[in-house]
Amino acid sequence: DTAVSQTPKYLVTQMGNDKSIKCEQNLGHDTMYWYKQDSKKFLKIMFSYNNKELIINETVPNRFSPKSPDKAHLNLHINSLELGDSAVYFCASSQGAGVKNTEAFFGQGTRLTVV
Amino acid sequence: AQSVTQLDSQVPVFEEAPVELRCNYSSSVSVYLFWYVQYPNQGLQLLLKYLSGSTLVKGINGFEAEFNKSQTSFHLRKPSVHISDTAEYFCAVRIQGAQKLVFGQGTRLTINP
């Protein structure tokens, strides 16, 4: 069973469209994240949710809206897509910030290409 | 705020040679340290982590890393690499008590036969 799964794996869309990426984790973790990896492979956090509550929002444009219906799911909706949104988006989860379970488990990524 | 610097963007080595990938971090408070590996077109997989205790930590696939507090470093090593180790390697830190990981820029390890 896949621990953190994202869909779709590839997404090609035109500028101005709205799209969503879904993420689910079956690890029982209470914290989930979205990270963006740019063309130079640099990884940067976008959002973090803990038990469905937003706890980190790293100055991401308002066009990006995360939604967490329950603690096992964290979806990312993007409005009015721009060329600069092209990147690989990774979902991740972790068991909060406790000492023993501090590593994040990552999904396979969604490669978004805006044309 | 914390930051992570991976000193080499690319490291080419021959198969069966030893390798060291360097990572330095900056933080005014205690941190947890991690190395992740990303194989082509895949997600990130945890190689190893330092939380506390022994400064030498062993991970999967024969990798190990040493935490050096005085030099604020967490270098990754493997005594003998294999072609299958070709990948991008990321060093990351998390402030104790905080939620987010901060990543370095990544080091591309290329193994030549």
Side-chain angles (χ1 to χ4, degrees):
Chain A
D1 279 348
T2 303
V4 182
S5 59
Q6 302 177 222
T7 54
K9 189 169 183 179
Y10 299 97
L11 186 52
V12 181
T13 188
Q14 291 186 326
M15 278 196 317
N17 283 351
D18 303 338
K19 290 293 178 185
S20 292
I21 306 171
K22 295 187 176 182
C23 178
E24 176 182 7
Q25 55 96 1
N26 62 6
L27 297 166
H29 290 164
D30 53 14
T31 304
M32 295 186 72
Y33 313 80
W34 279 108
Y35 282 82
K36 180 180 180 180
Q37 185 175 46
D38 63 23
S39 59
K40 296 184 178 178
K41 299 281 189 179
F42 185 64
L43 279 152
K44 191 172 190 301
I45 191 166
M46 300 172 69
F47 301 103
S48 175
Y49 271 74
N50 181 267
N51 281 321
K52 304 192 297 177
E53 186 177 335
L54 179 67
I55 55 173
I56 294 176
N57 182 339
E58 289 282 310
T59 60
V60 177
N62 290 338
R63 299 182 295 103
F64 290 79
S65 53
K67 284 191 171 47
S68 181
D70 55 60
K71 73 174 192 177
H73 295 83
L74 180 61
N75 303 322
L76 183 65
H77 188 75
I78 316 170
N79 289 325
S80 304
L81 278 154
E82 301 176 357
L83 292 177
D85 297 332
S86 295
V88 181
Y89 293 84
F90 285 101
C91 178
S93 72
S94 70
Q95 189 57 28
V99 173
K100 293 190 176 180
N101 291 298
T102 56
E103 70 263 36
F105 293 79
F106 285 79
Q108 293 297 295
T110 296
R111 182 174 295 274
L112 171 65
T113 304
V114 182
V115 298
Chain B
Q2 71 273 36
S3 66
V4 181
T5 302
Q6 291 182 240
L7 297 159
D8 306 293
S9 59
Q10 296 187 60
V11 173
V13 294
F14 288 106
E15 196 172 13
E16 298 184 8
V19 69
E20 178 179 83
L21 305 184
R22 297 179 293 168
C23 172
N24 284 91
Y25 70 94
S26 172
S27 175
S28 57
V29 297
S30 296
V31 297
Y32 301 132
L33 295 154
F34 307 86
W35 275 99
Y36 283 86
V37 60
Q38 184 179 25
Y39 298 105
N41 298 315
Q42 294 192 26
L44 281 81
Q45 180 182 1
L46 181 71
L47 273 179
L48 47 79
K49 61 186 176 185
Y50 173 79
L51 304 181
S52 64
S54 173
T55 57
L56 182 65
V57 292
K58 294 189 183 297
I60 62 171
N61 302 341
F63 284 93
E64 63 180 33
E66 185 153 20
F67 170 55
N68 188 318
K69 189 174 182 179
S70 62
Q71 296 187 6
T72 60
S73 68
F74 191 54
H75 300 332
L76 181 71
R77 302 185 185 100
K78 186 169 182 177
S80 175
V81 295
H82 190 264
I83 291 281
S84 59
D85 293 322
T86 296
E88 194 89 21
Y89 291 79
F90 293 93
C91 182
V93 301
R94 184 201 298 269
I95 289 177
Q96 290 184 19
Q99 298 289 61
K100 70 177 182 181
L101 281 169
V102 174
F103 285 88
Q105 304 92 317
T107 298
R108 176 167 294 181
L109 177 61
T110 305
I111 312 299
N112 299 307

